Amino acid sequence: MTRYAVAPPPPSEPGDHPPTGAVNRYVSELARWRLRREHELRALDELTRAHDDRDALEHDLTHSMTLYHAIAQRHDLLLATWESGHTGEAGDPQLDEDQRGWVGQLVWGVLEMPDGDAQALALPLPDALRLSDALAASLRGRIGADEDDIPMAERVQDAQAYLDGVRERVEEREGEPDEDLQQRLGALQEGLDALRERDDDSALPDLAGVIGALAAMDREVIVSRASSAHDRADREQAVAERDHLLARGEAVRALAEKVLNAVNPAPRLGIPDVEALGEVPQEEGPDLDAYVSNLERVARALEQAHSTYAAALAEYADLADRAERLASTLAGCGAPTSVDLAGMLTAAKECLHTRPADVRRAAALVAAQEAYLGELRTGS
């Protein structure tokens, strides 16, 4: 049993509408995965900075963090969609047929690269989670930070299952077989076979290297597959992209409503309506090309709205965390009589706990307390 984050299984297969109960479990399990992976990456970042092989490790760490943030953004949309359901008899949200379809699209549609080229990521959520787990395992092994008490034979067996999965995805690629990928897979298989003879922790860095190389190849194959589908710009691909954007649009609207109810002032952006584009043209040609271009513009606008509303919630969460840290500091040292820091903290928390929260006043109160405490520490 590992102590590290492990991706939850998806709530449905591609194209299916997941049951409400499965969505509930998935959103909750993904929230736990997200929290644990964030802590893991922070720890790995600290260890990498002091590591002798820092330069070689930083690329994979940066990729891991970028992947994590894309997954977190998609979880935000899933959570917003889940919370938008009507309340059932047990008090939990219940999703209608359309909402369950949107969840399926959010799970299996490609993620968006935060502040970058969407096609540079091009991974469905389950693939992104699998890659994140593999990259984190590789980094832990290379840094020497893996604290799992798992026998080497079991670790090699898990790596073999991952290699077999990558080989299957390579063989499913369209077109002529890629000899370079086949040769790289063969070399990784040989390396894994050699590790079967070593039953001690000294083999962990070498195993981590194999897993890291597999993760890079896995991503290469998945991105190539998604990019090829995108470049075809045929009607089937356009229909799939339209369906995905419909789901994203509904999720961003739910997120916007959540923000408007949670904070004041709140951003107010127009969220494009994908249905306003009409149906996908039946025939390939200039009309379909123009339609695909319009879909790309809608995708960029949705990403902008998503980032803006998510940033508003992140600002609120940061203020709440800072207020809690101030409460811990004041409890430990006591507030000076010259300034009523405790009263200011109470006022800040009241601002944050009202709906919608007065984030401007809360931010000013928190910043003033932090500045005053900083001066006290400097003067002591």
Side-chain angles (χ1 to χ4, degrees):
M1 189 71 177
T2 181
R3 68 181 65 191
Y4 301 109
V6 176
S12 66
E13 294 299 317
D16 292 343
H17 292 193
T20 296
V23 176
N24 182 18
R25 288 190 296 274
Y26 189 68
V27 170
S28 298
E29 291 172 1
L30 190 54
R32 288 190 287 273
W33 178 96
R34 178 177 174 177
L35 182 62
R36 295 179 70 180
R37 180 51 40 85
E38 181 182 19
H39 289 318
E40 291 169 20
L41 289 175
R42 285 180 179 175
L44 288 170
D45 185 32
E46 291 293 328
L47 292 170
T48 297
R49 293 179 187 181
H51 199 275
D52 292 340
D53 199 18
R54 180 180 60 209
D55 292 341
L57 293 166
E58 280 183 346
H59 176 269
D60 280 354
L61 182 61
T62 300
H63 181 205
S64 293
M65 290 182 170
T66 301
L67 196 56
Y68 167 80
H69 286 301
I71 292 169
Q73 284 193 340
R74 182 52 55 90
H75 178 245
D76 288 340
L77 293 184
L78 281 168
L79 185 59
T81 302
W82 167 245
E83 292 176 342
S84 69
H86 70 274
T87 303
E89 293 181 0
D92 294 327
Q94 297 295 313
L95 304 180
D96 60 28
E97 187 71 15
D98 286 341
Q99 289 168 324
R100 293 193 294 111
W102 297 334
V103 168
Q105 288 288 341
L106 291 172
V107 170
W108 291 105
V110 297
L111 304 182
E112 300 79 45
M113 177 74 84
D115 302 321
D117 178 8
Q119 290 305 309
L121 193 60
L123 302 172
L125 183 56
D127 290 339
L129 288 164
R130 182 181 67 245
L131 279 181
S132 179
D133 286 354
L135 284 169
S138 174
L139 284 165
R140 287 194 299 269
R142 290 159 64 190
I143 293 172
D146 195 321
E147 299 178 358
D148 270 347
D149 188 18
I150 299 176
M152 180 57 63
E154 186 175 335
R155 293 176 184 270
V156 172
Q157 183 179 359
D158 289 342
Q160 182 66 61
Y162 188 26
L163 189 149
D164 291 342
V166 174
R167 179 182 286 116
E168 182 178 336
R169 286 184 282 281
V170 168
E171 292 172 352
E172 290 173 350
R173 283 164 54 99
E174 298 179 357
E176 295 295 323
D178 191 316
E179 293 185 4
D180 177 62
L181 285 177
Q182 296 289 355
Q183 290 175 358
R184 288 157 60 190
L185 272 173
L188 290 173
Q189 182 66 71
E190 291 177 4
L192 199 56
D193 291 340
L195 291 173
R196 298 182 195 280
E197 308 300 322
R198 299 168 61 183
D199 194 20
D200 58 86
D201 289 346
S202 67
L204 274 176
D206 293 333
L207 179 61
V210 171
I211 294 173
L214 277 172
M217 187 182 300
D218 197 8
R219 178 179 182 274
E220 179 182 339
V221 171
I222 296 168
V223 170
S224 174
R225 181 182 64 200
S227 297
S228 296
H230 183 270
D231 291 342
R232 283 199 303 269
D234 58 17
R235 187 176 189 278
E236 182 181 355
Q237 172 64 19
V239 170
E241 179 65 11
R242 181 183 187 274
D243 290 344
H244 176 53
L245 289 177
L246 278 171
R248 279 179 59 194
E250 293 299 331
V252 172
R253 286 186 187 87
L255 181 65
E257 183 177 356
K258 181 178 179 178
V259 171
L260 291 171
N261 291 330
V263 301
N264 180 40
R268 294 179 181 273
L269 297 182
I271 300 173
D273 182 3
V274 182
E275 291 184 329
L277 297 178
E279 296 297 325
V280 178
Q282 293 292 329
E283 302 295 333
E284 296 186 17
D287 288 344
L288 179 60
D289 292 340
Y291 192 92
V292 169
S293 296
N294 288 333
L295 286 176
E296 291 173 349
R297 281 194 289 271
V298 167
R300 289 193 293 270
L302 283 176
E303 177 58 24
Q304 177 62 42
H306 180 190
S307 298
T308 300
Y309 285 113
L313 286 181
E315 179 187 5
Y316 173 83
D318 178 64
L319 278 173
D321 287 343
R322 288 161 62 191
E324 289 302 320
R325 287 196 295 270
L326 281 169
S328 298
T329 302
L330 291 178
C333 67
T337 56
S338 59
V339 176
D340 185 11
L341 292 182
M344 292 173 67
L345 179 60
T346 299
K349 287 189 172 184
E350 288 176 353
C351 290
L352 292 170
H353 292 160
T354 56
R355 285 294 179 269
D358 187 345
V359 290
R360 282 182 179 169
R361 184 162 184 260
L365 288 167
V366 168
Q369 293 168 85
E370 289 172 338
Y372 193 84
L373 285 173
E375 290 180 3
L376 286 179
R377 293 191 187 99
T378 304
S380 61

